[in-house]
Amino acid sequence: MSRRSPTARRRPHRVDVAAAGSGLLFGLLLWALGLNGGPPLFGLPSALTLVALTAISGAELMRRTAPRTALAIGVPAFALDTCAGTLIATVLMFTDLVYAAVLYGSPATARRVTTLSVLVTVGATVVLAAIWRHPQVLLVSVALALITIAPAWTGLIIRDHRDAARTARLRAEQTALLAEMDRTQAVTGERTRMARELHDMVANHLSAIAIHATAAQTIDDPAATREALGVIRENSVQGLAEMRRLIGLLRDPTARDGGTEPAATPTLDGLDALIAQAGTNGASSGLTFVLDDARHPAGEGPGARPAAPVELAAYRIVQESLTNALKHAAPGEVRVRIAQRPDGALTVVVSSPFADRPGPRAPGSGAGLVGMRERIALLGGTFDAGPDGTVWLVRAALPGADNDLRRLQVPTPRRNG
C-alpha cells in the first residue's frame, strides 16, 4: 500500500468539503430568512454572524487534516456567533469540530478536548447560576453540554472502538504471520526428516548395488559375477521394499504395509541381521564385520530399555556407519560396539580401517554424516566422526530414558509387536 504524499494529506477530504459547503449555504439561507437564534448581545451587528459562519465553514475544511487548528478557529467563531445572534448552522458545525478534534486528533488532543468540554460546561453553569438566578440556567447548561460534552464523548467512544478494531486487526495479522512461519518451519523440518529417513533406509542398499555392479564389470570371473549379481538383486529387492514402506507412510501414516501389517520401526534387536547383511555386501571388498554388544539382555541386569527415539537413532547410526564403511573403508575388520548405562543411556562406537582402498568405491555426498549429527542433536546427545590413526571412528552418546526426552518432546515411533 503506497503512502500518500504530504500534499495529499493536507488536501481537504471530499466529505469535509461537502460539509463545509452545505453548512455555509444552510447558514446563509437561515440569515436571509431572519432565522437567528436570538438577539445580538453587547450591541453587536447581526451581520457578524456571517463572519462567524464563514470562519467556521473554513475550519470545517480542516476537520480531518488539522483538527486542532480547526477547533482553535471554531471556538472564537462560535463565541462571536453567540454574541451576534446565533445561527444554528454555525452551532452544528462547531459541534462537528469538537467531535472531529477528539476523533482525528492526537491522543493528547482527544484527552484535553474531552476534559475541557466538561470543565467549560460546568464552569459556565456555575457562573450563569451566580449571575443569573433563574431556572433557565439549567436549560442553557443542557444546551451547552449538547454542544460540547456530547460530541466530545461521542468522538471518544468511536475513537476507542476504532483503536480496538485496529489492534484486533494487527493481532490477527500477527497471528496469521506466526502461523505461516510455524507452518513453513514444520514443512521444512518434515522435509528434512523425510530426507534423512530416505537416506538411511535406501543408501545402504544402493551403495552395495553400486559396489558390486562395479566389481561385476571389472572382475572377469563368472562365479564372482554371479555372486555380485545375487547381492545386487537381494539389495534391490530390499531397497524397493523399504521405498514402498516409506511411500506408504507418506501417503497415509495409518495405512498398513501391504494391507496386513503396520510398518515396523527398526530397533537394536535387529543389529545382528544388519551386521550379517553388511558382511554379505562387504565380502568382495575384504571387509569383515563384528558386533560387540555390551548391553544387558532384555529383562536382565540393571539397565532400563532405552526410549524408542534413542533406540531408533542408535540403529540408524550403526546402519549409516556400516554403509560408509562399505563405500570407503580399506580391507579389514569393521567393529561395532554398543554399550548401555544403568539409566538407559547408550554409547555407540564404530571403527573401520582408514587407508587407501584398492577396490571399487561408491560415491558419497556427506549427507550421511549430516543426518547422524541431526539425529543426535535432536535428542540432546553428542556425536563425533573422523580419523584416529589408522581407523575411522564414529562415536555417539545418546541420553537415557530419564534424560530430557520429555522436554524435547521427541515423537515416539510405532513399534511392531
Side-chain angles (χ1 to χ4, degrees):
M1 182 177 64
S2 60
R3 296 183 177 179
R4 294 183 300 172
S5 64
T7 303
R9 287 197 296 267
R10 289 194 296 268
R11 187 177 303 164
H13 195 275
R14 60 179 180 274
V15 175
D16 301 340
V17 174
S22 60
L24 179 62
L25 293 177
F26 181 52
L28 291 175
L29 178 62
L30 292 175
W31 188 82
L33 296 176
L35 298 177
N36 291 29
L41 303 177
F42 310 113
L44 296 175
S46 61
L48 289 178
T49 56
L50 296 179
V51 176
L53 177 65
T54 304
I56 209 164
S57 298
E60 274 284 276
L61 297 174
M62 298 181 291
R63 62 187 295 275
R64 294 174 192 262
T65 57
R68 190 165 58 180
T69 303
L71 184 60
I73 297 173
V75 169
F78 173 70
L80 178 61
D81 177 76
T82 302
C83 295
T86 309
L87 286 173
I88 190 63
T90 303
V91 176
L92 292 176
M93 284 191 284
F94 176 74
T95 60
D96 182 61
L97 291 179
V98 176
Y99 166 81
V102 176
L103 182 61
Y104 301 116
S106 64
T109 300
R111 291 192 300 268
R112 291 169 184 168
V113 171
T114 304
T115 304
L116 287 175
S117 65
V118 176
L119 294 177
V120 168
T121 301
V122 173
T125 301
V126 172
V127 171
L128 287 176
I131 297 176
W132 184 29
R133 298 179 179 275
H134 196 280
Q136 291 185 350
V137 170
L138 294 178
L139 295 177
V140 174
S141 300
V142 171
L144 188 58
L146 292 175
I147 295 173
T148 56
I149 297 178
W153 281 93
T154 302
L156 186 63
I157 293 172
I158 295 177
R159 182 190 184 103
D160 289 341
H161 282 290
R162 184 191 63 184
D163 293 344
R166 182 182 297 123
T167 301
R169 185 169 59 252
L170 290 176
R171 188 179 295 111
E173 292 175 355
Q174 292 175 353
T175 302
L177 180 60
L178 291 175
E180 179 63 21
M181 292 174 61
D182 291 341
R183 189 193 68 81
T184 302
Q185 292 177 355
V187 170
T188 303
E190 185 63 16
R191 291 181 62 178
T192 302
R193 188 188 68 83
M194 289 165 52
R196 187 167 56 243
E197 288 295 327
L198 180 62
H199 178 275
D200 291 344
M201 292 172 65
V202 181
N204 185 34
H205 300 297
L206 294 182
S207 299
I209 291 172
I211 293 172
H212 286 83
T214 305
Q217 289 178 337
T218 56
I219 299 175
D220 189 11
D221 185 353
T225 301
R226 283 195 300 272
E227 181 182 355
L229 291 176
V231 174
I232 290 174
R233 183 187 181 282
E234 179 183 355
N235 281 275
S236 300
V237 172
Q238 294 178 359
L240 286 174
E242 296 284 357
M243 283 289 294
R244 190 178 299 111
R245 182 160 58 239
L246 180 60
I247 291 174
L249 288 175
L250 293 178
R251 286 179 174 172
D252 184 5
T254 63
R256 296 178 177 270
D257 186 17
T260 56
E261 295 293 334
T265 299
T267 65
L268 295 178
D269 296 336
L271 287 182
D272 291 328
L274 189 64
I275 294 294
Q277 181 185 30
T280 301
N281 294 334
S284 62
S285 301
L287 293 172
T288 58
F289 295 84
V290 178
L291 174 61
D292 183 5
D293 192 349
R295 298 178 301 144
H296 290 284
E300 300 179 12
R305 189 178 184 92
V310 174
E311 202 166 353
L312 174 62
Y315 181 91
R316 293 302 189 195
I317 289 169
V318 173
Q319 183 182 46
E320 180 60 29
S321 299
L322 295 180
T323 300
N324 289 338
L326 287 173
K327 293 191 292 185
H328 306 297
E333 180 184 86
V334 178
R335 178 171 292 273
V336 177
R337 175 174 174 78
I338 182 167
Q340 181 179 355
R341 296 203 304 264
D343 61 353
L346 290 175
T347 56
V348 179
V349 179
V350 182
S351 61
S352 55
F354 181 67
D356 291 335
R357 177 173 175 172
R361 293 176 179 269
S365 61
L369 292 177
V370 173
M372 287 191 285
R373 286 194 178 94
E374 290 177 350
R375 285 186 182 276
I376 300 303
L378 287 174
L379 296 174
T382 59
F383 176 80
D384 181 41
D388 185 7
T390 59
V391 297
W392 180 275
L393 282 181
V394 175
R395 293 176 288 244
L398 297 100
D402 297 331
N403 235 309
D404 294 333
L405 291 177
R406 294 178 182 175
R407 180 179 60 82
L408 292 171
Q409 295 181 349
V410 179
T412 302
R414 297 194 309 273
R415 180 179 290 126
N416 189 17

PDB file of all heavy atoms in Angstrom, residues 196 313 317 369-384 396-399 404-405 407-408 410:
ATOM      1  N   ARG A 196      16.222 -37.466   5.640  1.00  0.00           N
ATOM      2  CA  ARG A 196      17.114 -38.262   6.481  1.00  0.00           C
ATOM      3  C   ARG A 196      16.674 -39.723   6.521  1.00  0.00           C
ATOM      4  O   ARG A 196      17.489 -40.642   6.417  1.00  0.00           O
ATOM      5  CB  ARG A 196      17.133 -37.656   7.884  1.00  0.00           C
ATOM      6  CG  ARG A 196      18.148 -38.279   8.815  1.00  0.00           C
ATOM      7  CD  ARG A 196      18.325 -37.437  10.072  1.00  0.00           C
ATOM      8  NE  ARG A 196      17.073 -37.218  10.761  1.00  0.00           N
ATOM      9  CZ  ARG A 196      16.514 -36.029  10.947  1.00  0.00           C
ATOM     10  NH1 ARG A 196      17.096 -34.947  10.472  1.00  0.00           N
ATOM     11  NH2 ARG A 196      15.372 -35.910  11.608  1.00  0.00           N
ATOM     12  N   ALA A 313      17.585 -43.987  16.779  1.00  0.00           N
ATOM     13  CA  ALA A 313      18.763 -43.203  16.392  1.00  0.00           C
ATOM     14  C   ALA A 313      20.023 -44.066  16.429  1.00  0.00           C
ATOM     15  O   ALA A 313      20.877 -43.983  15.533  1.00  0.00           O
ATOM     16  CB  ALA A 313      18.906 -41.983  17.303  1.00  0.00           C
ATOM     17  N   ILE A 317      22.432 -44.899  13.244  1.00  0.00           N
ATOM     18  CA  ILE A 317      23.852 -44.542  13.260  1.00  0.00           C
ATOM     19  C   ILE A 317      24.698 -45.754  12.884  1.00  0.00           C
ATOM     20  O   ILE A 317      25.647 -45.649  12.091  1.00  0.00           O
ATOM     21  CB  ILE A 317      24.239 -43.994  14.643  1.00  0.00           C
ATOM     22  CG1 ILE A 317      23.610 -42.609  14.846  1.00  0.00           C
ATOM     23  CG2 ILE A 317      25.747 -43.911  14.801  1.00  0.00           C
ATOM     24  CD1 ILE A 317      23.710 -42.109  16.254  1.00  0.00           C
ATOM     25  N   LEU A 369      26.740 -38.255   7.278  1.00  0.00           N
ATOM     26  CA  LEU A 369      27.271 -37.634   8.497  1.00  0.00           C
ATOM     27  C   LEU A 369      26.370 -36.518   8.982  1.00  0.00           C
ATOM     28  O   LEU A 369      26.143 -36.358  10.180  1.00  0.00           O
ATOM     29  CB  LEU A 369      28.691 -37.110   8.237  1.00  0.00           C
ATOM     30  CG  LEU A 369      29.784 -38.161   8.001  1.00  0.00           C
ATOM     31  CD1 LEU A 369      31.112 -37.483   7.687  1.00  0.00           C
ATOM     32  CD2 LEU A 369      29.933 -39.052   9.231  1.00  0.00           C
ATOM     33  N   VAL A 370      25.850 -35.727   8.036  1.00  0.00           N
ATOM     34  CA  VAL A 370      24.931 -34.649   8.414  1.00  0.00           C
ATOM     35  C   VAL A 370      23.691 -35.218   9.078  1.00  0.00           C
ATOM     36  O   VAL A 370      23.209 -34.718  10.111  1.00  0.00           O
ATOM     37  CB  VAL A 370      24.554 -33.818   7.168  1.00  0.00           C
ATOM     38  CG1 VAL A 370      23.471 -32.797   7.511  1.00  0.00           C
ATOM     39  CG2 VAL A 370      25.783 -33.113   6.611  1.00  0.00           C
ATOM     40  N   GLY A 371      23.140 -36.291   8.502  1.00  0.00           N
ATOM     41  CA  GLY A 371      21.952 -36.907   9.086  1.00  0.00           C
ATOM     42  C   GLY A 371      22.205 -37.453  10.475  1.00  0.00           C
ATOM     43  O   GLY A 371      21.365 -37.322  11.372  1.00  0.00           O
ATOM     44  N   MET A 372      23.374 -38.081  10.694  1.00  0.00           N
ATOM     45  CA  MET A 372      23.676 -38.606  12.022  1.00  0.00           C
ATOM     46  C   MET A 372      23.797 -37.481  13.041  1.00  0.00           C
ATOM     47  O   MET A 372      23.306 -37.598  14.171  1.00  0.00           O
ATOM     48  CB  MET A 372      24.968 -39.431  11.965  1.00  0.00           C
ATOM     49  CG  MET A 372      24.803 -40.785  11.259  1.00  0.00           C
ATOM     50  SD  MET A 372      26.222 -41.895  11.470  1.00  0.00           S
ATOM     51  CE  MET A 372      27.405 -41.135  10.339  1.00  0.00           C
ATOM     52  N   ARG A 373      24.464 -36.416  12.669  1.00  0.00           N
ATOM     53  CA  ARG A 373      24.577 -35.271  13.589  1.00  0.00           C
ATOM     54  C   ARG A 373      23.205 -34.702  13.933  1.00  0.00           C
ATOM     55  O   ARG A 373      22.944 -34.324  15.077  1.00  0.00           O
ATOM     56  CB  ARG A 373      25.457 -34.188  12.971  1.00  0.00           C
ATOM     57  CG  ARG A 373      26.938 -34.521  12.963  1.00  0.00           C
ATOM     58  CD  ARG A 373      27.784 -33.293  12.658  1.00  0.00           C
ATOM     59  NE  ARG A 373      29.194 -33.621  12.690  1.00  0.00           N
ATOM     60  CZ  ARG A 373      29.912 -33.968  11.634  1.00  0.00           C
ATOM     61  NH1 ARG A 373      29.320 -34.035  10.441  1.00  0.00           N
ATOM     62  NH2 ARG A 373      31.190 -34.246  11.734  1.00  0.00           N
ATOM     63  N   GLU A 374      22.337 -34.602  12.924  1.00  0.00           N
ATOM     64  CA  GLU A 374      20.992 -34.075  13.180  1.00  0.00           C
ATOM     65  C   GLU A 374      20.222 -34.973  14.137  1.00  0.00           C
ATOM     66  O   GLU A 374      19.531 -34.483  15.040  1.00  0.00           O
ATOM     67  CB  GLU A 374      20.235 -33.932  11.863  1.00  0.00           C
ATOM     68  CG  GLU A 374      20.759 -32.811  10.975  1.00  0.00           C
ATOM     69  CD  GLU A 374      20.039 -32.748   9.645  1.00  0.00           C
ATOM     70  OE1 GLU A 374      19.276 -33.701   9.345  1.00  0.00           O
ATOM     71  OE2 GLU A 374      20.221 -31.763   8.916  1.00  0.00           O
ATOM     72  N   ARG A 375      20.317 -36.279  13.951  1.00  0.00           N
ATOM     73  CA  ARG A 375      19.603 -37.195  14.846  1.00  0.00           C
ATOM     74  C   ARG A 375      20.074 -37.033  16.288  1.00  0.00           C
ATOM     75  O   ARG A 375      19.264 -36.970  17.220  1.00  0.00           O
ATOM     76  CB  ARG A 375      19.824 -38.638  14.395  1.00  0.00           C
ATOM     77  CG  ARG A 375      19.040 -39.038  13.157  1.00  0.00           C
ATOM     78  CD  ARG A 375      19.209 -40.527  12.878  1.00  0.00           C
ATOM     79  NE  ARG A 375      18.500 -40.909  11.665  1.00  0.00           N
ATOM     80  CZ  ARG A 375      17.218 -41.195  11.616  1.00  0.00           C
ATOM     81  NH1 ARG A 375      16.490 -41.120  12.728  1.00  0.00           N
ATOM     82  NH2 ARG A 375      16.636 -41.548  10.487  1.00  0.00           N
ATOM     83  N   ILE A 376      21.377 -36.979  16.481  1.00  0.00           N
ATOM     84  CA  ILE A 376      21.906 -36.863  17.833  1.00  0.00           C
ATOM     85  C   ILE A 376      21.557 -35.507  18.433  1.00  0.00           C
ATOM     86  O   ILE A 376      21.215 -35.394  19.621  1.00  0.00           O
ATOM     87  CB  ILE A 376      23.431 -37.073  17.823  1.00  0.00           C
ATOM     88  CG1 ILE A 376      23.769 -38.469  17.284  1.00  0.00           C
ATOM     89  CG2 ILE A 376      23.995 -36.921  19.230  1.00  0.00           C
ATOM     90  CD1 ILE A 376      23.126 -39.590  18.047  1.00  0.00           C
ATOM     91  N   ALA A 377      21.616 -34.450  17.618  1.00  0.00           N
ATOM     92  CA  ALA A 377      21.292 -33.110  18.131  1.00  0.00           C
ATOM     93  C   ALA A 377      19.844 -33.031  18.577  1.00  0.00           C
ATOM     94  O   ALA A 377      19.527 -32.379  19.584  1.00  0.00           O
ATOM     95  CB  ALA A 377      21.588 -32.061  17.058  1.00  0.00           C
ATOM     96  N   LEU A 378      18.932 -33.665  17.856  1.00  0.00           N
ATOM     97  CA  LEU A 378      17.515 -33.636  18.233  1.00  0.00           C
ATOM     98  C   LEU A 378      17.282 -34.294  19.589  1.00  0.00           C
ATOM     99  O   LEU A 378      16.359 -33.920  20.315  1.00  0.00           O
ATOM    100  CB  LEU A 378      16.680 -34.343  17.159  1.00  0.00           C
ATOM    101  CG  LEU A 378      16.487 -33.598  15.844  1.00  0.00           C
ATOM    102  CD1 LEU A 378      15.771 -34.475  14.825  1.00  0.00           C
ATOM    103  CD2 LEU A 378      15.707 -32.302  16.066  1.00  0.00           C
ATOM    104  N   LEU A 379      18.122 -35.277  19.944  1.00  0.00           N
ATOM    105  CA  LEU A 379      17.962 -35.986  21.214  1.00  0.00           C
ATOM    106  C   LEU A 379      18.824 -35.400  22.325  1.00  0.00           C
ATOM    107  O   LEU A 379      18.755 -35.870  23.464  1.00  0.00           O
ATOM    108  CB  LEU A 379      18.302 -37.469  21.028  1.00  0.00           C
ATOM    109  CG  LEU A 379      17.381 -38.248  20.082  1.00  0.00           C
ATOM    110  CD1 LEU A 379      17.902 -39.655  19.880  1.00  0.00           C
ATOM    111  CD2 LEU A 379      15.971 -38.275  20.625  1.00  0.00           C
ATOM    112  N   GLY A 380      19.633 -34.397  22.012  1.00  0.00           N
ATOM    113  CA  GLY A 380      20.480 -33.791  23.028  1.00  0.00           C
ATOM    114  C   GLY A 380      21.719 -34.591  23.365  1.00  0.00           C
ATOM    115  O   GLY A 380      22.280 -34.435  24.455  1.00  0.00           O
ATOM    116  N   GLY A 381      22.180 -35.460  22.444  1.00  0.00           N
ATOM    117  CA  GLY A 381      23.389 -36.243  22.681  1.00  0.00           C
ATOM    118  C   GLY A 381      24.607 -35.602  22.051  1.00  0.00           C
ATOM    119  O   GLY A 381      24.591 -34.443  21.638  1.00  0.00           O
ATOM    120  N   THR A 382      25.690 -36.375  21.976  1.00  0.00           N
ATOM    121  CA  THR A 382      26.935 -35.893  21.370  1.00  0.00           C
ATOM    122  C   THR A 382      27.348 -36.853  20.260  1.00  0.00           C
ATOM    123  O   THR A 382      27.091 -38.062  20.328  1.00  0.00           O
ATOM    124  CB  THR A 382      28.057 -35.800  22.419  1.00  0.00           C
ATOM    125  OG1 THR A 382      28.284 -37.088  23.004  1.00  0.00           O
ATOM    126  CG2 THR A 382      27.681 -34.811  23.515  1.00  0.00           C
ATOM    127  N   PHE A 383      28.019 -36.300  19.250  1.00  0.00           N
ATOM    128  CA  PHE A 383      28.422 -37.098  18.089  1.00  0.00           C
ATOM    129  C   PHE A 383      29.771 -36.606  17.605  1.00  0.00           C
ATOM    130  O   PHE A 383      30.064 -35.408  17.616  1.00  0.00           O
ATOM    131  CB  PHE A 383      27.380 -36.962  16.972  1.00  0.00           C
ATOM    132  CG  PHE A 383      27.762 -37.669  15.703  1.00  0.00           C
ATOM    133  CD1 PHE A 383      27.572 -39.035  15.576  1.00  0.00           C
ATOM    134  CD2 PHE A 383      28.327 -36.964  14.648  1.00  0.00           C
ATOM    135  CE1 PHE A 383      27.931 -39.686  14.412  1.00  0.00           C
ATOM    136  CE2 PHE A 383      28.681 -37.601  13.481  1.00  0.00           C
ATOM    137  CZ  PHE A 383      28.487 -38.975  13.365  1.00  0.00           C
ATOM    138  N   ASP A 384      30.582 -37.561  17.172  1.00  0.00           N
ATOM    139  CA  ASP A 384      31.896 -37.219  16.630  1.00  0.00           C
ATOM    140  C   ASP A 384      32.271 -38.289  15.613  1.00  0.00           C
ATOM    141  O   ASP A 384      32.020 -39.484  15.822  1.00  0.00           O
ATOM    142  CB  ASP A 384      32.949 -37.158  17.751  1.00  0.00           C
ATOM    143  CG  ASP A 384      34.321 -36.784  17.211  1.00  0.00           C
ATOM    144  OD1 ASP A 384      34.393 -35.895  16.341  1.00  0.00           O
ATOM    145  OD2 ASP A 384      35.316 -37.396  17.644  1.00  0.00           O
ATOM    146  N   ALA A 396      29.076 -41.904  19.241  1.00  0.00           N
ATOM    147  CA  ALA A 396      27.815 -41.237  19.562  1.00  0.00           C
ATOM    148  C   ALA A 396      27.398 -41.604  20.980  1.00  0.00           C
ATOM    149  O   ALA A 396      27.529 -42.752  21.392  1.00  0.00           O
ATOM    150  CB  ALA A 396      26.721 -41.639  18.574  1.00  0.00           C
ATOM    151  N   ALA A 397      26.934 -40.610  21.720  1.00  0.00           N
ATOM    152  CA  ALA A 397      26.399 -40.817  23.065  1.00  0.00           C
ATOM    153  C   ALA A 397      24.971 -40.293  23.079  1.00  0.00           C
ATOM    154  O   ALA A 397      24.727 -39.123  22.768  1.00  0.00           O
ATOM    155  CB  ALA A 397      27.253 -40.091  24.106  1.00  0.00           C
ATOM    156  N   LEU A 398      24.039 -41.163  23.416  1.00  0.00           N
ATOM    157  CA  LEU A 398      22.626 -40.812  23.402  1.00  0.00           C
ATOM    158  C   LEU A 398      22.069 -40.843  24.813  1.00  0.00           C
ATOM    159  O   LEU A 398      22.481 -41.678  25.620  1.00  0.00           O
ATOM    160  CB  LEU A 398      21.833 -41.780  22.519  1.00  0.00           C
ATOM    161  CG  LEU A 398      22.202 -41.775  21.040  1.00  0.00           C
ATOM    162  CD1 LEU A 398      23.113 -42.950  20.747  1.00  0.00           C
ATOM    163  CD2 LEU A 398      20.970 -41.843  20.168  1.00  0.00           C
ATOM    164  N   PRO A 399      21.128 -39.931  25.130  1.00  0.00           N
ATOM    165  CA  PRO A 399      20.593 -39.865  26.500  1.00  0.00           C
ATOM    166  C   PRO A 399      19.742 -41.073  26.813  1.00  0.00           C
ATOM    167  O   PRO A 399      19.264 -41.789  25.930  1.00  0.00           O
ATOM    168  CB  PRO A 399      19.760 -38.579  26.495  1.00  0.00           C
ATOM    169  CG  PRO A 399      19.386 -38.393  25.061  1.00  0.00           C
ATOM    170  CD  PRO A 399      20.543 -38.919  24.259  1.00  0.00           C
ATOM    171  N   ASP A 404      16.350 -35.763  29.142  1.00  0.00           N
ATOM    172  CA  ASP A 404      15.461 -34.667  28.761  1.00  0.00           C
ATOM    173  C   ASP A 404      14.615 -34.996  27.551  1.00  0.00           C
ATOM    174  O   ASP A 404      14.229 -34.104  26.797  1.00  0.00           O
ATOM    175  CB  ASP A 404      16.288 -33.402  28.453  1.00  0.00           C
ATOM    176  CG  ASP A 404      16.983 -32.886  29.700  1.00  0.00           C
ATOM    177  OD1 ASP A 404      16.454 -33.150  30.794  1.00  0.00           O
ATOM    178  OD2 ASP A 404      18.021 -32.221  29.567  1.00  0.00           O
ATOM    179  N   LEU A 405      14.283 -36.281  27.348  1.00  0.00           N
ATOM    180  CA  LEU A 405      13.475 -36.628  26.170  1.00  0.00           C
ATOM    181  C   LEU A 405      12.080 -36.053  26.270  1.00  0.00           C
ATOM    182  O   LEU A 405      11.490 -35.627  25.282  1.00  0.00           O
ATOM    183  CB  LEU A 405      13.403 -38.148  26.029  1.00  0.00           C
ATOM    184  CG  LEU A 405      14.724 -38.826  25.626  1.00  0.00           C
ATOM    185  CD1 LEU A 405      14.530 -40.328  25.595  1.00  0.00           C
ATOM    186  CD2 LEU A 405      15.198 -38.316  24.284  1.00  0.00           C
ATOM    187  N   ARG A 407      11.211 -33.315  27.775  1.00  0.00           N
ATOM    188  CA  ARG A 407      11.286 -31.889  27.496  1.00  0.00           C
ATOM    189  C   ARG A 407      11.478 -31.622  26.016  1.00  0.00           C
ATOM    190  O   ARG A 407      10.927 -30.657  25.466  1.00  0.00           O
ATOM    191  CB  ARG A 407      12.457 -31.277  28.275  1.00  0.00           C
ATOM    192  CG  ARG A 407      12.624 -29.778  28.050  1.00  0.00           C
ATOM    193  CD  ARG A 407      13.785 -29.256  28.890  1.00  0.00           C
ATOM    194  NE  ARG A 407      15.028 -29.906  28.535  1.00  0.00           N
ATOM    195  CZ  ARG A 407      15.776 -29.564  27.514  1.00  0.00           C
ATOM    196  NH1 ARG A 407      15.399 -28.595  26.697  1.00  0.00           N
ATOM    197  NH2 ARG A 407      16.911 -30.187  27.260  1.00  0.00           N
ATOM    198  N   LEU A 408      12.245 -32.465  25.348  1.00  0.00           N
ATOM    199  CA  LEU A 408      12.458 -32.285  23.910  1.00  0.00           C
ATOM    200  C   LEU A 408      11.225 -32.632  23.107  1.00  0.00           C
ATOM    201  O   LEU A 408      11.090 -32.215  21.960  1.00  0.00           O
ATOM    202  CB  LEU A 408      13.638 -33.169  23.452  1.00  0.00           C
ATOM    203  CG  LEU A 408      15.006 -32.761  23.975  1.00  0.00           C
ATOM    204  CD1 LEU A 408      16.017 -33.842  23.641  1.00  0.00           C
ATOM    205  CD2 LEU A 408      15.430 -31.423  23.413  1.00  0.00           C
ATOM    206  N   VAL A 410      10.268 -35.451  21.714  1.00  0.00           N
ATOM    207  CA  VAL A 410      10.562 -36.200  20.503  1.00  0.00           C
ATOM    208  C   VAL A 410       9.452 -37.214  20.282  1.00  0.00           C
ATOM    209  O   VAL A 410       9.116 -37.981  21.183  1.00  0.00           O
ATOM    210  CB  VAL A 410      11.916 -36.922  20.625  1.00  0.00           C
ATOM    211  CG1 VAL A 410      12.218 -37.718  19.379  1.00  0.00           C
ATOM    212  CG2 VAL A 410      13.004 -35.915  20.906  1.00  0.00           C
TER     213      VAL A 410
END
